[in-house]
Amino acid sequence: MTFVTLLDYAAVLVFALTGALVASRAQLDIVGFAFISCLTAVGGGTVRDLVLNREEVFWVADPNHILLAAGAAVVVFFTAHLVESRLRLLIWLDSFALAVAVSAGTGVAMALDKPAVIVVLMGMATGSMGGLMRDVVVGEVPLVLKQGELYITCAMSGAIVAVAASSFGLASGLALVLCAMVCWGLRAGSIAFGWHLPVYKSRPPRQ
Amino acid sequence: MTFVTLLDYAAVLVFALTGALVASRAQLDIVGFAFISCLTAVGGGTVRDLVLNREEVFWVADPNHILLAAGAAVVVFFTAHLVESRLRLLIWLDSFALAVAVSAGTGVAMALDKPAVIVVLMGMATGSMGGLMRDVVVGEVPLVLKQGELYITCAMSGAIVAVAASSFGLASGLALVLCAMVCWGLRAGSIAFGWHLPVYKSRPPRQ
Amino acid sequence: MTFVTLLDYAAVLVFALTGALVASRAQLDIVGFAFISCLTAVGGGTVRDLVLNREEVFWVADPNHILLAAGAAVVVFFTAHLVESRLRLLIWLDSFALAVAVSAGTGVAMALDKPAVIVVLMGMATGSMGGLMRDVVVGEVPLVLKQGELYITCAMSGAIVAVAASSFGLASGLALVLCAMVCWGLRAGSIAFGWHLPVYKSRPPRQ
């Protein structure tokens, strides 16, 4: 198993947990949990694989990803009530999923020797699209657009760091670890300490 | 025309009718009806064909699917006012569309000799994604996530039955008929008699 | 650079501006602006390229599209406050983007010798999907579904005119210019003078 495959598995697992937590907030049944978990878990990587026109979408090539995501959903269905704050857990798990998925997406695009812009975008898309689908389908405000928080910025920064490090000769595995660390560090700082970029607010919309 | 092609046509027609009914609830014009009908009718199968990386998406290979969906939209535009309860008709038509589309998706994936997990998922995706796009675009709560009803469970059960029946040697056409019957039977039971799985409700979200 | 490539660039630029204006209404930060701009700018063409199974998605083949969209987002971030009515500007820019993107989509599908129905649909999809994703992700009512306005009708009319003109022997470049003019003319008439088709309104939904 290559390092990028491992990253894909890890991203699937953690995103599946966030999907199941969102399903618990929407009070779905156990199959609904599995459905949202799978959508969240493989959504970003599916967009990546389709856009990059890979031979096979990663979870069609290896259906264990789906079984992992569905298994995670079942565990959350029976244990989510044990958690003090599901929303807090959701946000923190999502930060790990983001970091790992950005690395996975960046790694796949780097391995295909795509130009830097595309590598960065594939990292961003893999990291954000699964969570975006999760939130849009369930009707929550997408985390990626939450005002006054760093989110897509973390994804972009991590992917840029990986591309830069790799172009300076760092081994690709190390570059991806660095990517995940930068991405997660920024996101964690934003959640814990309110780090953010200035938002556009000269004037709110009139309607 | 193969049996799976026939199923694709039938699913397109019935999903198109549901799309037009949703458009009537949103009070769109006749081209808006056709747009939502086409999106609903081919959305699920398009996701299936892209993910399976088929040579051509089914309605690009045969544009009659689009003409059928647009024609259905026109008929609904001029006749929907004759119906006592459009919502009730919508929900029942959607149940038939779900059953037929799950069979069509399952059939395509079985014909490509995909592993069982992928076959089941393709059945679920073909059955649910068109309706999901319809509801998300128009801003209604997705039927697939309606609390306390069986929906995606019906899709999964039908697809699993088809895979099992086929692995026990049943001819694939019969397995697909069985799939549609199980899927529709469960969905109809849920609509008519309130069949459902226990939902997660130990605690609603705090915010 | 072919004429269709030029149309793709123009559509990317103008759609990116509309994405940034929507981001300003949602008060995102500068990276959020770029994210929504890129999604809007390349969303429609990406759907087209995936469905047509082209060798490479247009912006993966040429990442300058992405840099252009991100640059447009940055400009809007720093200048949107200078505009009297961002909503009005957004709607008018969107009308240009629609016209150009419909031409681009139609042109690509004509060059691939697809049947007329598919050419028209690819024009419609390229023109509408980017704006649809923009509006769904940010949670605004999609412009494409705004009641009592022509929108998807303009896209369809433009694409049909291009196909008809081309089948009567008009050079494909001229047919695409005609397509954009018809599409924009109808949309502008709808915005400025309230042109519309009769909407379905015999009865609003009961719930």
Side-chain angles (χ1 to χ4, degrees):
Chain A
M1 188 186 297
T2 71
F3 185 57
V4 171
T5 310
L6 195 71
L7 286 174
D8 257 340
Y9 272 109
V12 160
L13 175 61
V14 193
F15 262 136
L17 294 172
T18 72
L21 284 173
V22 168
S24 83
R25 290 168 58 86
Q27 306 199 295
L28 301 180
D29 61 31
I30 196 168
V31 184
F33 269 60
F35 182 71
I36 301 292
S37 281
C38 289
L39 185 73
T40 310
V42 304
T46 304
V47 169
R48 173 198 66 197
D49 291 351
L50 292 179
V51 165
L52 291 179
N53 205 5
R54 293 175 84 189
E55 192 79 17
E56 271 197 308
V57 173
F58 71 106
W59 54 271
V60 175
D62 176 5
N64 286 324
H65 293 95
I66 297 297
L67 300 176
L68 183 64
V74 171
V75 169
V76 171
F77 186 80
F78 289 111
T79 59
H81 63 282
L82 302 175
V83 176
E84 174 66 26
S85 165
R86 277 177 289 151
L87 183 60
R88 203 167 168 71
L89 178 62
L90 166 59
I91 288 171
W92 278 102
L93 279 175
D94 185 88
S95 74
F96 288 107
L98 177 71
V100 178
V102 169
S103 285
T106 305
V108 166
M110 285 204 309
L112 293 173
D113 270 329
K114 294 288 172 188
V117 178
I118 300 302
V119 172
V120 171
L121 266 173
M122 288 300 105
M124 294 168 71
T126 310
S128 63
M129 287 295 167
L132 194 57
M133 290 181 198
R134 173 194 67 202
D135 297 338
V136 165
V137 164
V138 177
E140 300 220 14
V141 176
L143 267 180
V144 62
L145 297 180
K146 205 115 154 268
Q147 214 191 332
E149 287 191 15
L150 296 181
Y151 194 95
I152 196 69
T153 306
C154 313
M156 192 179 72
S157 308
I160 289 177
V161 164
V163 170
S166 172
S167 78
F168 284 116
L170 200 67
S172 110
L174 287 178
L176 295 180
V177 170
L178 202 60
C179 166
M181 282 169 57
V182 168
C183 179
W184 186 79
L186 286 174
R187 180 73 187 127
S190 182
I191 299 172
F193 310 122
W195 295 355
H196 64 278
L197 288 174
V199 300
Y200 180 88
K201 62 173 166 190
S202 48
R203 282 181 302 146
R206 285 192 294 195
Q207 13 179 307
Chain B
M1 188 186 297
T2 69
F3 185 57
V4 171
T5 312
L6 195 72
L7 286 175
D8 256 341
Y9 272 110
V12 160
L13 176 61
V14 193
F15 263 136
L17 295 173
T18 72
L21 284 173
V22 168
S24 83
R25 290 167 57 86
Q27 306 200 295
L28 301 179
D29 62 30
I30 196 167
V31 185
F33 270 59
F35 181 72
I36 301 292
S37 281
C38 289
L39 184 73
T40 311
V42 304
T46 304
V47 170
R48 172 198 65 197
D49 291 352
L50 292 178
V51 164
L52 290 180
N53 205 6
R54 291 175 86 189
E55 191 79 16
E56 271 196 307
V57 172
F58 72 105
W59 52 272
V60 175
D62 176 4
N64 286 324
H65 293 95
I66 298 296
L67 300 176
L68 182 65
V74 171
V75 170
V76 171
F77 185 81
F78 289 112
T79 60
H81 63 282
L82 302 174
V83 177
E84 174 66 27
S85 165
R86 277 177 288 150
L87 183 60
R88 201 165 170 71
L89 179 62
L90 166 59
I91 288 172
W92 280 100
L93 279 176
D94 186 86
S95 74
F96 288 106
L98 176 71
V100 178
V102 168
S103 285
T106 305
V108 166
M110 286 203 309
L112 293 172
D113 271 330
K114 295 289 173 188
V117 178
I118 301 300
V119 172
V120 171
L121 266 173
M122 289 299 105
M124 294 167 72
T126 310
S128 63
M129 287 295 166
L132 194 58
M133 291 181 196
R134 173 194 68 203
D135 297 337
V136 165
V137 164
V138 177
E140 301 218 15
V141 177
L143 267 179
V144 62
L145 297 180
K146 205 117 155 269
Q147 213 190 335
E149 286 191 15
L150 296 182
Y151 193 96
I152 196 70
T153 306
C154 313
M156 191 179 73
S157 308
I160 289 177
V161 165
V163 169
S166 172
S167 78
F168 283 117
L170 200 67
S172 110
L174 288 178
L176 295 181
V177 169
L178 203 61
C179 165
M181 282 170 57
V182 168
C183 179
W184 185 79
L186 286 174
R187 180 73 187 129
S190 182
I191 300 173
F193 309 122
W195 296 354
H196 65 276
L197 288 174
V199 301
Y200 181 88
K201 61 173 167 190
S202 48
R203 280 183 303 145
R206 284 190 296 194
Q207 11 180 310
Chain C
M1 189 186 297
T2 69
F3 185 58
V4 171
T5 311
L6 195 71
L7 285 174
D8 256 341
Y9 271 110
V12 160
L13 175 61
V14 193
F15 262 136
L17 294 173
T18 72
L21 284 173
V22 168
S24 83
R25 289 168 58 85
Q27 307 200 295
L28 301 180
D29 62 31
I30 196 167
V31 184
F33 270 59
F35 181 72
I36 301 292
S37 281
C38 289
L39 184 73
T40 311
V42 305
T46 304
V47 170
R48 174 197 64 198
D49 291 351
L50 292 178
V51 164
L52 291 179
N53 205 5
R54 291 176 85 190
E55 191 78 16
E56 270 196 309
V57 173
F58 72 105
W59 53 270
V60 175
D62 176 4
N64 285 325
H65 293 96
I66 297 297
L67 299 176
L68 183 64
V74 171
V75 170
V76 171
F77 186 81
F78 289 111
T79 60
H81 63 283
L82 302 175
V83 177
E84 174 65 25
S85 165
R86 276 176 289 151
L87 182 60
R88 203 167 168 70
L89 179 62
L90 166 59
I91 288 172
W92 279 100
L93 279 175
D94 185 87
S95 74
F96 288 107
L98 176 71
V100 177
V102 169
S103 286
T106 305
V108 166
M110 286 203 308
L112 293 173
D113 272 330
K114 293 290 172 189
V117 178
I118 300 301
V119 172
V120 171
L121 266 174
M122 289 298 106
M124 294 167 71
T126 311
S128 64
M129 287 295 167
L132 194 57
M133 290 180 196
R134 173 196 68 202
D135 297 337
V136 166
V137 164
V138 177
E140 301 220 14
V141 177
L143 267 180
V144 63
L145 296 180
K146 205 116 154 270
Q147 213 191 335
E149 286 192 15
L150 297 181
Y151 194 96
I152 196 69
T153 305
C154 313
M156 191 180 72
S157 309
I160 288 177
V161 165
V163 169
S166 173
S167 78
F168 283 117
L170 199 68
S172 110
L174 287 178
L176 295 181
V177 170
L178 203 62
C179 166
M181 282 170 56
V182 168
C183 179
W184 186 80
L186 286 174
R187 179 75 186 127
S190 182
I191 300 173
F193 309 123
W195 295 354
H196 65 278
L197 288 173
V199 300
Y200 181 89
K201 61 174 167 191
S202 49
R203 283 182 301 147
R206 285 191 294 195
Q207 9 180 312

